[in-house]
Amino acid sequence: MSGLVYGTAGQRLDVYRAGTASEASPVVLLWHGRGPDERDVLAPLAGAAACLGITCFVPDWRPDAPDGGRTHLRESALFVREHASDFGGDTERIVLAGWSLGGRAAVAAALDPGALDGWRPRAVVGIAGGYTRPEPLTGRAPLDDLTGVGQLPPALPVRLIHGTADPVVDAGRSRRLRTALEQRGWPASLHEPDTDHAGVIMTEFDPAHGRCRPSLADHAVRGGTRTAQLLARAADFAPDRQS
């Protein structure tokens, strides 16, 4: 289902529905990265996740908005919480995930319940994120929250995936985040497929158009498939395959 309106600004989102099932399916809210209104970039990954039994919501949002996109992110989360069941989703099994800047925001939401009005997802998946810089929901860097002296909320699972050949965001940032999470007693895992920043979501960067497009390159198919499996595993729906 494409182009549904959510929120006060009239932003749009796409819903990738799981196949026919006898019970409600797990839900993933998947945020794109820094490019404004790039929900289409995540179409290959969202479609792969739906094939694994996930109902996946992919909203547009605008990091170039005056508030950095904070309102869009919050409104997309509210929409999913209120309407996931309308699309066959289980509101008790919502995973929050994001790619690049979206992944940074997703992790920040796990560390600060106030970011989404006290709501917390079942788990969080960070995809090729850089966690050392401020993100739009809290205005802070997730790693600063973890390495500071402040009290954290109760732990929830955080699963990370980052391509080893990523030239945009070094995979070392995800390694640092995993270490910091574990030091604070949070369950965390890191998967490192042999792909790049675009390949981890089953795409490739098209410099002529300045955005990512679907890719059938072996490394991108493998990397994107691993990410889709990780999204499903975060909802306790499919086995976690790690190499």
Side-chain angles (χ1 to χ4, degrees), residues 40-41 43-44 201-204 212-217 220:
D40 59 296
V41 167
I201 58 167
M202 214 175 293
T203 66
E204 61 187 10
C212 294
R213 64 182 183 186
S215 175
L216 294 178

Side-chain angles (χ1 to χ4, degrees), residues 204-219:
E204 61 187 10
F205 182 69
D206 181 355
H209 295 90
R211 62 194 296 120
C212 294
R213 64 182 183 186
S215 175
L216 294 178
D218 286 346
H219 71 91

Side-chain angles (χ1 to χ4, degrees), residues 17 23 50 68 79 86 100 116 127 151 153 166 195 197 203:
R17 301 186 67 174
E23 60 182 29
F79 180 93
D86 298 341
S100 199
L116 296 175
I127 306 165
Q151 185 175 359
D166 192 331
T195 189
H197 196 68
T203 66

Side-chain angles (χ1 to χ4, degrees), residues 13-167:
L13 59 77
D14 296 338
V15 185
Y16 297 78
R17 301 186 67 174
T20 56
S22 58
E23 60 182 29
S25 64
V27 174
V28 170
L29 170 57
L30 181 58
W31 289 334
H32 65 70
R34 184 172 296 280
D37 294 341
E38 285 194 340
R39 72 184 194 273
D40 59 296
V41 167
L42 293 174
L45 175 59
C51 289
L52 295 176
I54 298 293
T55 297
C56 191
F57 293 79
V58 186
D60 275 338
W61 67 286
R62 298 194 64 92
D64 60 351
D67 66 354
R70 179 175 182 267
T71 298
H72 299 154
L73 295 176
R74 287 164 57 90
E75 290 183 339
S76 69
L78 180 61
F79 180 93
V80 170
R81 287 150 54 194
E82 292 183 342
H83 297 286
S85 61
D86 298 341
F87 301 91
D90 184 351
T91 56
E92 297 302 316
R93 287 192 291 170
I94 300 176
V95 171
L96 179 59
W99 171 61
S100 199
L101 179 58
R104 197 190 314 168
V107 170
L111 299 173
D112 184 353
L116 296 175
D117 299 317
W119 175 78
R120 304 187 79 209
R122 182 187 185 100
V124 164
V125 178
I127 306 165
Y131 307 100
T132 59
R133 298 177 61 188
E135 53 70 47
L137 280 174
T138 68
R140 304 187 301 273
L143 266 168
D144 288 346
D145 283 350
L146 281 166
T147 57
V149 297
Q151 185 175 359
L152 295 178
L156 55 78
V158 178
R159 301 183 184 275
L160 306 172
I161 187 163
H162 207 128
T164 56
D166 192 331

